Amino acid sequence: MKGYWAGSAAFLCALLFAGCSAEKQPVTLEEMEEAAPASYVGTWQLDGQRTNESLTAYASLQEMFGTGLSTYGASMEINEDHSFSYYIGAGIGGEGQWELEENTLRALVTPYMEEGESQLLLTPATEEEETFLTMDFDGETLYWSCEK
């Protein structure tokens, strides 16, 4: 039993210091749930191809977010100190704090361009043996992948 706890602690420490880094291979959904919140920490990029394929109300991400998406891109930072920021193209995004509720990351965000506060929910999902964070936005599912 002592070996089990030592091994578990070593695994969690390795994930905590690795985060979402360039050397890290995609983790499984089970590993993310087991190691959370460390496995959420890092830089995430919008997976344009996977998101485009899942769109139902829009023909493309460009239709959804405008030309600012191709100019500025889309990125999300989840930090160990529980700070959070994201942007999608021009004018969409914000910063705030995050917390973990079971396997869902909830971020309370102050938008860059609007007044007030909004809430984002990010949930891990696995497709084709790759793990993503998904975000509901304007009735669509956005897929975020760990920056490599």
Side-chain angles (χ1 to χ4, degrees):
M1 190 67 166
K2 186 177 183 180
Y4 170 80
W5 289 112
S8 295
F11 176 73
L12 287 173
C13 285
L15 282 175
L16 177 64
F17 292 111
C20 178
S21 66
E23 297 82 30
K24 186 176 178 186
Q25 296 297 316
V27 296
T28 66
L29 182 58
E30 292 80 21
E31 287 173 331
M32 279 190 82
E33 289 173 353
E34 185 176 302
S39 57
Y40 291 90
V41 171
T43 301
W44 297 77
Q45 301 295 322
L46 182 65
D47 186 320
Q49 180 178 351
R50 188 170 306 275
T51 301
N52 256 329
E53 292 170 359
S54 75
L55 295 177
T56 57
Y58 294 91
S60 68
L61 283 169
Q62 183 169 348
E63 179 186 342
M64 188 173 184
F65 296 111
T67 57
L69 181 62
S70 59
T71 304
Y72 301 107
S75 184
M76 178 170 48
E77 286 285 333
I78 302 171
N79 300 304
E80 286 182 54
D81 67 358
H82 287 248
S83 62
F84 176 89
S85 64
Y86 85 106
Y87 67 89
I88 303 172
I92 298 172
E95 53 190 30
Q97 296 293 123
W98 65 268
E99 64 185 18
L100 196 61
E101 295 176 355
E102 296 189 20
N103 74 330
T104 300
L105 186 143
R106 182 171 68 94
L108 295 176
V109 178
T110 301
Y112 294 134
M113 304 293 281
E114 301 172 11
E115 295 292 321
E117 194 171 70
S118 63
Q119 176 176 277
L120 297 175
L121 299 176
L122 299 160
T123 307
T126 302
E127 292 185 13
E128 299 173 11
E129 298 183 27
E130 197 168 346
T131 302
F132 300 89
L133 291 178
T134 62
M135 171 196 296
D136 290 334
F137 189 94
D138 198 23
E140 301 285 3
T141 300
L142 305 182
Y143 289 84
W144 298 84
S145 58
C146 186
E147 186 175 80
K148 296 180 176 114

